[in-house]
Amino acid sequence: MADERPEVFHVLSLDGGGAKGFYTLGVLKELEAKLGRKIYESFDLIFGTSTGAIIAALLALGHSVDEIKGLYQTHVIKIMARTFPWQKTAALEELCREVFGGKTFEDMKTDVGIVCTNWDSERPMIFKANVRQAFGRKETFVPGFGVPVGDAVQASCSAYPFFSRKKVRTSDGVTIELGDGGYCANNPTLYAIADATDAMKVPRDRIRVLSVGVGEYPAPKKSLLSPLRYAKYIFFARLLQKTLEINTQSMDQLRRLLFKDIKTVRISKAYTQPEMATDLFEHDIRKLELLWRRGRDSFGEFEVELDEFLK
């Protein structure tokens, strides 16, 4: 990775949202086509939480959007179709093992941030690729704390209680229990801007941020579960969904207040039609393909603004 900073510093931030990441991929499909090259080649910093962490890590490793969508069609549907937390966790672990293999944060082709929640200290833990992103203790910085990319990504996606929490071992021999990054920053844009402005010392007038969400949808109403199990499931699922949505909106409101001078494009449309009802555990491929198309449509609504943004 080159040390010279570009004239404009481009940041890409990707929200969490489980299977709704198909919407994110729809937006990114059009973005990649607009750029005419892989996304990592046009962004200096890519942050992601949960499903956004999967996408961010794969983009930063050099994958195309079509490749990532293919992986989502194969793995994410299988994960979300599982009933019990240990089944979902095992399927997620399999995804991370097969997709990321032995990749480390030193393999990243651009700077990256993978957001997790430290379950023990109740604070964010962000896996970063480059010492430039460190706020302190630069002399002892280790990319990704020495944790494999797959383990960090799995931790970022571990939405307890629907997934088991993830234990990782850092390069200095410490074992840490982690949970879904959405508990602290489902929308990681603030963290990404903080890296750019405070750690990397990029002047604010040179920063351009593209923040991509997963869309907003009505809650689904049907389930094949028994009435009692469905009642328990839907209560906790909707509580988790509401928690993540409140976090997402709060972080974006703070971004508008604290960094209103930094040029930012936020793409995450709201849909109220009954046929758009879904949640982060969606595994109906027809519905997910619809989210993919809505993401591509959403990009079109911001295309003129993004033409100037991407120059």
Side-chain angles (χ1 to χ4, degrees):
M1 290 180 281
D3 286 330
E4 294 182 4
R5 297 188 182 124
E7 182 177 348
V8 175
F9 189 91
H10 287 105
V11 177
L12 177 63
S13 173
L14 306 176
D15 286 12
K20 294 184 293 182
F22 273 82
Y23 174 93
T24 307
L25 290 171
V27 174
L28 296 177
K29 170 66 177 177
E30 296 297 331
L31 174 64
E32 188 176 67
K34 170 72 70 175
L35 295 170
R37 55 184 176 176
K38 290 184 177 179
I39 287 175
Y40 82 87
E41 297 179 80
S42 295
F43 284 86
D44 307 285
L45 182 61
I46 304 177
F47 258 65
T49 296
S50 198
T51 196
I54 299 175
I55 299 170
L58 289 170
L59 290 175
L61 287 168
H63 289 265
S64 69
V65 175
D66 282 341
E67 289 171 339
I68 299 172
K69 186 188 179 219
L71 293 170
Y72 264 60
Q73 289 171 321
T74 301
H75 291 279
V76 172
I77 294 172
K78 181 169 62 175
I79 293 169
M80 297 309 176
R82 298 292 190 265
T83 303
F84 298 105
W86 58 89
Q87 294 173 327
K88 281 183 165 65
T89 300
L92 175 60
E93 186 174 4
E94 180 185 350
L95 177 153
C96 291
R97 182 173 59 251
E98 291 187 11
V99 170
F100 295 104
K103 296 290 185 183
T104 72
F105 280 83
E106 293 175 320
D107 294 314
M108 296 297 184
K109 299 178 184 293
T110 192
D111 292 339
V112 68
I114 303 300
V115 180
C116 300
T117 300
N118 186 321
W119 203 259
D120 300 319
S121 68
E122 300 174 344
R123 287 174 171 79
M125 181 170 180
I126 305 176
F127 293 84
K128 302 180 180 183
N130 198 297
V131 67
R132 290 195 303 263
Q133 298 173 257
F135 286 87
R137 297 184 292 176
K138 292 179 181 289
E139 294 76 16
T140 57
F141 177 87
V142 176
F145 302 103
V147 173
V149 173
D151 286 356
V153 169
Q154 182 184 343
S156 184
C157 297
S158 295
Y160 182 80
F162 294 95
F163 292 83
S164 303
R165 297 187 293 272
K166 175 70 175 177
K167 290 185 177 180
V168 301
R169 190 172 179 84
T170 64
S171 58
D172 55 5
V174 177
T175 298
I176 303 173
E177 188 172 29
L178 301 174
D180 195 290
Y183 288 118
C184 57
N186 199 56
N187 172 356
T189 307
L190 269 181
Y191 291 175
I193 294 175
D195 263 24
T197 56
D198 292 353
M200 306 175 84
K201 306 300 182 185
V202 180
R204 292 160 77 113
D205 62 350
R206 283 171 41 195
I207 300 172
R208 305 289 183 272
V209 180
L210 174 57
S211 174
V212 184
V214 295
E216 300 172 39
Y217 313 93
K221 292 182 169 47
K222 295 180 180 179
S223 173
L224 297 177
L225 299 175
S226 67
L228 181 59
R229 281 186 56 205
Y230 175 68
K232 273 185 74 174
Y233 172 85
I234 205 66
F235 173 79
F236 287 108
R238 288 183 176 174
L239 179 60
L240 174 62
Q241 184 74 42
K242 182 63 71 173
T243 299
L244 298 181
E245 288 177 357
I246 292 171
N247 181 289
T248 296
Q249 300 302 332
S250 298
M251 295 294 278
D252 196 52
Q253 186 174 1
L254 276 174
R255 189 267 307 167
R256 292 171 184 270
L257 290 171
L258 299 176
F259 298 108
K260 58 186 176 183
D261 58 319
I262 293 180
K263 294 182 179 179
T264 301
V265 176
R266 170 76 175 166
I267 303 179
S268 190
K269 300 285 291 182
Y271 300 92
T272 59
Q273 303 91 332
E275 65 271 18
M276 294 301 300
T278 190
D279 63 16
L280 67 166
F281 300 113
E282 184 65 67
H283 52 271
D284 183 340
I285 186 60
R286 294 170 298 178
K287 179 64 65 65
L288 295 173
E289 288 291 345
L290 180 59
L291 300 191
W292 157 264
R293 294 195 298 272
R294 290 294 179 267
R296 300 184 72 174
D297 293 342
S298 295
F299 180 90
E301 296 183 37
F302 291 88
E303 190 164 8
V304 173
E305 190 174 354
L306 285 168
D307 282 341
E308 179 65 27
F309 173 91
L310 294 169
K311 282 183 181 178

